[in-house]
Amino acid sequence: MEIIQDWLNNNSQLITTYALNILIALVILYFGRKVGKYATNLFVSMLEKRSVDKAVGSFLSSIVYSLIMVAVLLMALGQLGVETTSFIAILGAAGLAIGLALKDSLSNFASGVIIILFRPFKAGDYIEAAGVAGSVKKIEIFSTTVNTPDNKVIIIPNASITGSSIVNYSREEKRRIDLVIGVSYDSDIKLAKQVLTDVVNADERVLKDPAPNVAVLELADSSVNFVVRPWVNTGDYWPTRFSLMENIKLELDKAGVGIPFPQMDVHLHKQDN
């Protein structure tokens, strides 16, 4: 007992220092955990305000919390006198190795986060991206599922979407239909324009504002081409386009306005032998 008592007396200052460091390390862990939870909850609230999917928000918040706790743990170990440089180097090397192994997956993950945060499109929108056109069925962290008009299901990696131009046909409430109608040169141009205008105005789905535009576009090789540009609600785009094409043909036929077809003149030259 005397040996232990002597050792305690001789090392009292060292014991006090270590005890104090342990206490400070525990305080760091305790308050670090509190700060981590607060910061994570704040991050989740921010994601909820941006209408981010709950599953995605939970995944991202767990990453944020883990990063904070790693930093807190390193601070606590440093307070105990543990050399943290080697830990940081090991973590860095492990992170680099994992990043290289999962390069494509991490790229898709990052792209998924960008899509969810900035919302260039949402479920139900008709888009064209990565060489694919269709209605968005669901958006996930690593991929986006699209249904084509002929009901094929296509799963596109998110990195392919953010790495290309995205055309969202559903974002705006109105769309313009662009038609080019050719009539023969011997037709009455004013009559043809009037027929086209009447057909457009007769369709109730065509909007009055912006007003539709019917005008001569060009004097082509075998026809006078009119541009017909009515505006419709986005949901009425394809039905209105199909209907206008049919009615334009019927009404031009009734008015006797010819629609030319490609022609080729062949000239034969007799060669004397």
Side-chain angles (χ1 to χ4, degrees):
M1 292 293 296
E2 293 183 1
I3 297 175
I4 296 176
Q5 187 65 39
D6 291 340
W7 184 86
L8 291 175
N9 291 333
N10 295 331
N11 296 279
S12 59
Q13 185 175 358
L14 180 63
I15 293 172
T16 302
T17 301
Y18 272 113
L20 183 61
N21 287 337
I22 291 173
L23 180 61
I24 294 174
L26 292 174
V27 171
I28 290 174
L29 288 174
Y30 177 79
F31 284 101
R33 187 167 175 267
K34 294 286 187 181
V35 171
K37 286 187 175 181
Y38 176 78
T40 302
N41 292 334
L42 190 64
F43 181 69
V44 170
S45 299
M46 182 188 70
L47 294 179
E48 289 178 350
K49 289 180 180 179
R50 305 202 62 159
S51 300
V52 175
D53 185 83
K54 289 184 178 180
V56 176
S58 176
F59 182 76
L60 292 177
S61 62
S62 65
I63 292 177
V64 171
Y65 182 75
S66 298
L67 291 175
I68 293 174
M69 290 309 298
V70 167
V72 169
L73 182 60
L74 291 175
M75 290 174 61
L77 290 174
Q79 183 63 39
L80 292 175
V82 177
E83 182 60 48
T84 58
T85 305
S86 57
F87 283 97
I88 295 174
I90 292 172
L91 289 174
L96 179 60
I98 293 173
L100 291 175
L102 302 176
K103 180 179 64 175
D104 294 337
S105 296
L106 291 175
S107 177
N108 288 323
F109 169 78
S111 298
V113 172
I114 291 173
I115 291 172
I116 291 169
L117 290 179
F118 293 98
R119 302 179 71 83
F121 54 84
K122 62 182 184 299
D125 285 355
Y126 188 87
I127 67 167
E128 182 178 345
V132 175
S135 299
V136 178
K137 187 175 182 181
K138 59 182 177 179
I139 305 169
E140 298 177 318
I141 277 295
F142 294 102
S143 64
T144 296
T145 303
V146 171
N147 272 33
T148 63
D150 56 347
N151 207 30
K152 290 186 293 188
V153 176
I154 300 178
I155 300 173
I156 312 172
N158 286 331
S160 299
I161 295 177
T162 57
S164 64
S165 299
I166 302 173
V167 181
N168 189 335
Y169 293 98
S170 303
R171 174 65 65 86
E172 300 296 334
E173 295 181 355
K174 302 175 183 178
R175 282 189 65 187
R176 191 181 72 186
I177 299 174
D178 291 343
L179 302 177
V180 177
I181 307 297
V183 302
S184 59
Y185 270 96
D186 57 2
S187 298
D188 187 333
I189 302 300
K190 292 185 178 180
L191 175 61
K193 183 176 181 179
Q194 186 60 51
V195 171
L196 294 174
T197 302
D198 291 343
V199 171
V200 170
N201 291 334
D203 196 311
E204 296 180 353
R205 293 165 296 190
V206 174
L207 302 176
K208 305 303 180 184
D209 184 24
N213 182 30
V214 178
V216 175
L217 175 65
E218 61 178 343
L219 303 178
D221 293 338
S222 58
S223 64
V224 178
N225 291 339
F226 283 86
V227 63
V228 181
R229 292 176 176 173
W231 287 83
V232 296
N233 291 322
T234 300
D236 293 332
Y237 180 87
W238 286 110
T240 307
R241 182 185 179 92
F242 296 149
S243 179
L244 286 177
M245 291 296 290
E246 180 179 351
N247 291 333
I248 285 173
K249 177 62 169 68
L250 293 173
E251 295 302 318
L252 287 178
D253 288 346
K254 287 182 183 179
V257 178
I259 299 177
F261 50 86
Q263 301 180 18
M264 179 183 295
D265 291 334
V266 178
H267 301 273
L268 299 177
H269 298 278
K270 183 178 180 181
Q271 183 176 0
D272 296 331
N273 293 329

